Amino acid sequence: EENSTLKQGVSKANQKLSQQVGVKQHKPKKLYERKLPDTVDLEKYIINVNKLASDGKVDEVIGNDEIIKSVFTTLMKRDRNNSLLVGDVGSGKTSTVMHIANLLNDGNVPKQFENKQLMLVDFMTLVSGTGYRGGFEQKYETIIENAKKHGNCIFFIDDVQSILGQNSKFSEVSTDTLLDKVLSEKRIPCVCTTTYDGYSKTILGNEVLNNRFEKIEMPKRSKNEIDGIVERVKEKYELFHEVTITKDF
């Protein structure tokens, strides 16, 4: 009976998301069955999150239906089609964006997102192995050109504040300009994440970058909401860790 209640709760959550984005109901048994378009040339430098999801390495997210709806709504725009998720540390920004790869694989998305790939752009990885200053920029330009050629990529830049401003790890490279270059490409919609502090220090005062984004704030969860989410996912963690989560968690 407890397992039945858990499954019903997950089913209702997925049904609600489907209604909001105007797509079919999510069917867990058919996860990761879609054939992924080839992005091997891009995967030399950036990570195809859809492929991670197809291997079961991306957890589903429960309770952020409205956030996901807002992200898709922004990505569908003709202009300013870049989402910026802003929230406290630990609010679920990264996991929410990563979960979009699950939805893309399922085809549980608006029609214009069918066959889209969520590509994680890690600037630290891009800089690694670059022997001269212009090497990083050349590598970045290659990624953008290949992504434009494919026409099926959604870029994901996590903790975008870490690559911006004078105190970033990339102070010798004009990352503001490089970021603006991809944000201005209508054929490559982007999803970025940052904290409130990061937003105020690196983006809010930069009129050019700020105007490229549609800001989406992560909600602060009430205790009842958190309890409900834990109740829905606890069976998976009990099985993995071989423990029992009691009612007084």
Side-chain angles (χ1 to χ4, degrees):
E1 184 177 351
E2 185 174 306
N3 288 341
S4 176
T5 302
L6 176 65
K7 291 177 181 178
Q8 289 175 6
V10 172
S11 177
K12 288 180 180 178
N14 288 325
Q15 186 174 20
K16 182 179 179 183
L17 173 60
S18 299
Q19 292 170 347
Q20 288 173 333
V21 298
V23 292
K24 301 175 294 181
Q25 183 177 351
H26 180 61
K27 297 179 180 180
K29 291 184 179 179
K30 294 186 178 181
L31 274 174
Y32 321 128
E33 291 182 357
R34 294 172 62 83
K35 184 177 180 180
L36 303 179
D38 185 18
T39 55
V40 173
D41 53 346
L42 283 168
E43 291 168 41
K44 295 176 183 176
Y45 307 116
I46 58 181
I47 298 170
N48 188 322
V49 185
N50 286 46
K51 290 188 176 181
L52 293 180
S54 71
D55 292 334
K57 296 178 180 179
V58 178
D59 287 338
E60 293 188 60
V61 170
I62 297 173
N64 281 342
D65 304 347
E66 288 295 331
I67 296 297
I68 292 174
K69 176 185 175 183
S70 296
V71 170
F72 278 126
T73 299
T74 299
L75 298 180
M76 285 189 284
K77 290 182 176 181
R78 183 178 182 277
D79 296 303
R80 202 177 183 180
N81 59 339
N82 306 297
S83 296
L84 179 65
L85 270 64
V86 183
D88 295 327
V89 175
S91 60
K93 302 182 294 296
T94 302
S95 58
T96 297
V97 180
M98 295 286 280
H99 175 54
I100 289 174
N102 289 327
L103 302 177
L104 292 170
N105 281 356
D106 292 345
N108 191 19
V109 293
K111 187 174 181 178
Q112 53 266 58
F113 290 99
E114 290 181 358
N115 296 320
K116 292 289 187 182
Q117 305 282 284
L118 184 66
M119 309 296 293
L120 176 61
V121 182
D122 184 344
F123 275 72
M124 185 62 73
T125 300
L126 292 180
V127 170
S128 177
T130 301
Y132 57 98
R133 179 170 179 173
F136 172 73
E137 287 91 336
Q138 287 183 9
K139 194 183 293 185
Y140 188 77
E141 292 281 351
T142 299
I143 291 169
I144 292 177
E145 289 305 313
N146 285 342
K148 286 163 60 178
K149 179 184 69 177
H150 283 285
N152 66 340
C153 297
I154 301 170
F155 277 9
F156 171 34
I157 303 174
D158 199 20
D159 290 325
V160 69
Q161 77 282 354
S162 66
I163 67 171
L164 299 172
Q166 295 180 347
N167 294 324
S168 78
K169 299 174 183 177
F170 310 96
S171 57
E172 294 183 0
V173 179
S174 180
T175 48
D176 294 38
T177 302
L178 293 177
L179 179 61
D180 183 62
K181 184 174 181 61
V182 70
L183 294 178
S184 64
E185 282 289 347
K186 297 176 183 179
R187 286 175 288 177
I188 313 175
C190 295
V191 184
C192 299
T193 67
T194 187
T195 60
Y196 286 106
D197 184 59
Y199 173 72
S200 63
K201 289 182 177 178
T202 63
I203 297 174
L204 182 60
N206 187 323
E207 185 176 357
V208 174
L209 288 182
N210 198 34
N211 287 337
R212 299 290 189 195
F213 285 114
E214 192 69 39
K215 180 184 174 186
I216 301 171
E217 294 192 45
M218 295 293 293
K220 293 184 178 180
R221 302 293 180 193
S222 67
K223 185 179 184 303
N224 287 339
E225 287 176 317
I226 294 172
D227 289 349
I229 292 171
V230 173
E231 185 64 32
R232 292 178 187 178
V233 301
K234 72 173 186 176
E235 182 181 44
K236 177 175 66 175
Y237 287 96
E238 286 178 331
L239 290 172
F240 182 82
H241 294 287
E242 298 182 350
V243 297
T244 300
I245 302 175
T246 60
K247 292 287 185 180
D248 59 351
F249 60 82

